[in-house]
Amino acid sequence: MTNNHVEGNGHDGRLGEVIQLSGRLAALMTEETELLRKMRIAEIEPLQSQKSALAAAYAGAISAVGRGPDRIAAAPAGLREALREATRGLQTALDHNLRAVLAAKTVNERLIRVVSDAVAEMRAPGGAYAANGRAPSSADAAEPISLSVDRRA
């Protein structure tokens, strides 16, 4: 993409802005997706404010273009094609990101379930008799265990 797409006058400038923002947002989403796949979750948080700002700018640019649908039709063919490519690239990045987010969520849910099951198993009465030769009672049960997860880890 050349600067004349981004810096064009009038409607071309707005379409150029959408193209530029699409590319930046797609690159950021791809970076986030890679971090998710590598389970480097702590490195994702710093990207969130940048992602929010880009998403808001993108929504604003799309809204401005949407107020004049003829802007796209009147744009030069090269600019329209660049817009199609940028939109496809952003959609692909969003699709990959969604799959990575869902996979990470599934992994975390399984981990929590395994830990929870292990804690429940530890707390379950052991056998038919306690150490004193009697059947275990609720008084012999372990105290409740509190568990918290630190998302900074």
Side-chain angles (χ1 to χ4, degrees):
M1 167 174 63
T2 60
N3 280 344
N4 64 347
H5 289 310
V6 176
E7 297 173 6
N9 57 24
H11 64 276
D12 288 2
R14 272 297 186 191
L15 291 177
E17 183 181 2
V18 170
I19 292 166
Q20 183 183 51
L21 289 168
S22 295
R24 291 174 58 201
L25 195 51
L28 188 64
M29 297 302 293
T30 299
E31 181 181 354
E32 181 180 87
T33 300
E34 287 306 309
L35 291 170
L36 280 167
R37 287 182 177 149
K38 294 175 183 175
M39 293 305 286
R40 292 168 39 193
I41 307 303
E43 295 176 46
I44 293 172
E45 189 169 354
L47 302 177
Q48 298 312 300
S49 62
Q50 186 180 2
K51 184 170 69 170
S52 292
L54 280 173
Y58 177 81
I62 288 290
S63 178
V65 168
R67 287 192 291 266
D70 58 318
R71 292 177 176 183
I72 295 173
L79 187 59
R80 288 194 316 267
E81 182 56 32
L83 180 61
R84 273 191 291 276
E85 287 177 28
T87 302
R88 276 193 296 266
L90 179 56
Q91 187 60 55
T92 297
L94 290 170
D95 290 344
H96 290 169
N97 186 266
L98 176 60
R99 282 195 295 275
V101 166
L102 292 175
K105 179 179 181 269
T106 299
V107 167
N108 284 327
E109 287 172 347
R110 285 182 187 158
L111 177 61
I112 290 169
R113 194 174 314 116
V114 165
V115 170
S116 175
D117 290 349
V119 169
E121 187 176 311
M122 285 177 20
R123 296 186 64 226
Y129 299 100
N132 61 9
R134 292 182 291 162
S137 68
S138 60
D140 296 328
E143 290 294 318
I145 296 175
S146 177
L147 193 71
S148 68
V149 178
D150 184 355
R151 65 178 239 207
R152 295 175 292 171

